[in-house]
């Protein structure tokens, strides 16, 4: 179904792209808080009226913190999912097993990297920025669904990561260099994860009839709506952190408008940009043209 990817080639590419946490985020490294962290295409922090340039930069940095910490949170449920998928393969194809276990190991490395980033950010930002959770509860809710639904949600996230870096981060010279480096190194390994998850989706869809695929798609959309509820809460937490950092309270109407605007920005960042990625759409079409068409109808709400 997806002949452009195979386990052996992905494993080889992953070995070439490998890096160590200490090389990416060495002890004592510092972020440059005079610069934005997130590209405007994702942060959408230049849009709100009534904020000064300095305040918009602070909101952008809060979004940058949220972005990497939420990636760490997401990878905490990707890790056990990949291990569960690898377990039945242990006596099978060697390249498949090694590639899946390497996938899991890299996700564990990313989790640790983002925890170190959080500590570095908080040390110099001056105040705490809350993030939705706990990760265990979010992971349990996601993982209770049909494995094909979970694999599709993960695939959306993997292609989303690729789109963010290639379309928005790579050529943005105004971003903090350390934050940009973190995104680059994450992208390098996630490029292989997107291919592996495509292969996992293929395996999980194999032999299913149309009714079973549509049922899994229903559950994929349930996961999306669950995550969207979390993004609404995250937009509120971000505004709390922003107000504390800039030392002023927004008016009720201004705060409500900013939460709505930022919720939609988070929707694009974490949902819409993945749901509309051409590679994700192609996978849906290969599984079921009807599934592709259903997502095409839903996706504009998250863009």
């Amino acid at each position: 179904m997806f002949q452009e990817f195979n386990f052996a080639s992905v494993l080889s590419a992953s070995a070439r792209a490998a890096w160590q946490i200490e090389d990416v985020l060495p002890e004592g490294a510092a972020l440059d808080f005079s610069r934005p962290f997130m590209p405007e295409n994702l942060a959408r922090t230049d849009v709100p009226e009534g904020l000064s340039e300095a305040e918009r930069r602070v909101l952008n940095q809060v979004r940058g913190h949220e972005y990497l910490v939420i990636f760490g949170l997401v990878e905490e449920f990707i890790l056990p999912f990949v291990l569960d998928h690898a377990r039945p393969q242990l006596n099978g194809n060697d390249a498949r097993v090694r590639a899946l276990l390497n996938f899991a190991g890299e996700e564990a490395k990313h989790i640790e990297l983002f925890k170190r980033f959080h500590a570095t950010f908080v040390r110099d930002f001056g105040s705490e920025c809350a993030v939705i959770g706990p990760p265990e509860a979010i992971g349990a809710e996601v993982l209770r669904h049909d494995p094909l639904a979970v694999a599709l949600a993960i695939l959306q996230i993997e292609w989303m990561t690729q789109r963010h870096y290639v379309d928005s981060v790579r050529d943005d010279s105004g971003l903090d260099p350390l934050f940009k480096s973190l995104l680059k190194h994450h992208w390098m390994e996630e490029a292989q994860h997107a291919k592996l998850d495509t292969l996992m989706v293929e395996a999980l869809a194999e032999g299913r009839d149309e009714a079973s695929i549509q049922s899994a798609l229903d559950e994929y959309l349930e996961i999306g709506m669950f995550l969207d509820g979390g993004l609404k809460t995250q937009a509120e937490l971000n505004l709390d952190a922003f107000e504390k950092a800039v030392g002023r309270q927004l008016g009720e109407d201004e705060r409500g408008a900013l939460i709505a605007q930022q919720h939609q920005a988070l929707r694009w960042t974490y949902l819409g940009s993945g749901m509309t990625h051409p590679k994700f759409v192609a996978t849906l079409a290969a599984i079921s043209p009807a599934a592709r068409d259903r997502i095409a109808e839903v996706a504009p709400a998250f863009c």
Side-chain angles (χ1 to χ4, degrees), residues 5 14 48 56 95 110 114 153 163 217 222 273 289:
F5 305 142
S14 181
R56 289 176 177 176
H110 297 172
F114 297 149
R163 186 177 211 170
L217 197 68
E222 286 180 10
S273 63

Side-chain angles (χ1 to χ4, degrees), residues 48-85:
E49 298 179 359
L51 302 185
S52 69
E53 181 179 349
E55 287 176 333
R56 289 176 177 176
R57 185 171 62 249
V58 169
L59 182 57
N60 180 288
Q61 290 163 355
V62 171
R63 285 292 323 272
H65 171 267
E66 153 239 299
Y67 184 75
L68 286 189
V69 176
I70 283 186
F71 262 124
L73 181 155
V74 165
E75 287 172 335
E76 289 202 34
F77 69 72
I78 296 178
L79 175 56
F81 181 79
V82 173
L83 289 173
D84 285 346
H85 187 78

